[in-house]
Amino acid sequence: MDVGPVEYVVIAFPGNHFNGEIVPEVRRLVESGIVRIIDLTFIKKDADGTVSHFELDALDPEEASPFDTVEGEIGGLLSEEDLALIAENLVPDSSAALLVWENTWAAAMVGAIRRAGGLLVQHERIPAPVVAQALEAAEL
């Protein structure tokens, strides 16, 4: 089975309440076959610095409900150490969604490279603000 590259993002939110605003876009990406959700974990850091983390099924039903229609193999991929490292970078009284996905759109390319005897030797992600700035500068 060919598998596309797997990526993760940590999306921080001020306060300790996730409102689900990003869910429609996540759902669109999954439904269109662009990505497959592998893991989704929420991290909360209270005002006193106390950290807790929750898989989707452990969240309050009100907070989890926006994800009811997002399909994927959600849960259990990240270690306690992974979550502790991410939590270190959160400011007190904030929360974060940690989302791990497979870029399913790239799985066929991975297979083609393998069948051709190729070997991917480097893969980098250029941050969107850097690309936007470069494109803006090029238009001048």
Side-chain angles (χ1 to χ4, degrees):
M1 176 173 92
D2 294 322
V3 177
V6 173
E7 298 183 42
Y8 75 93
V9 293
V10 178
I11 306 163
F13 301 94
N16 276 328
H17 184 73
F18 174 75
N19 70 12
E21 181 91 14
I22 66 170
V23 175
E25 185 58 22
V26 172
R27 183 181 311 113
R28 186 189 70 75
L29 292 169
V30 170
E31 289 174 354
S32 66
I34 294 171
V35 302
R36 177 174 61 99
I37 303 301
I38 297 173
D39 204 341
L40 175 61
T41 302
F42 298 91
I43 303 170
K44 294 183 179 184
K45 188 180 241 184
D46 293 333
D48 66 2
T50 302
V51 174
S52 55
H53 51 84
F54 310 90
E55 294 287 337
L56 184 59
D57 60 356
L59 279 180
D60 175 276
E62 183 181 321
E63 290 181 303
S65 65
F67 287 94
D68 287 348
T69 59
V70 176
E71 294 186 27
E73 300 170 27
I74 298 174
L77 180 69
L78 301 161
S79 72
E80 293 287 328
E81 184 179 318
D82 295 331
L83 298 173
L85 287 170
I86 291 164
E88 284 179 15
N89 293 317
L90 292 178
V91 298
D93 195 29
S94 67
S95 58
L98 174 58
L99 184 60
V100 181
W101 70 75
E102 173 197 1
N103 288 309
T104 51
W105 60 268
M109 185 63 177
V110 168
I113 292 169
R114 179 184 44 78
R115 289 186 303 276
L119 178 63
L120 181 64
V121 294
Q122 187 168 349
H123 174 236
E124 297 288 332
R125 178 74 59 172
I126 301 170
V130 172
V131 173
Q133 184 179 22
L135 291 172
E136 187 176 304
E139 290 177 6
L140 297 177

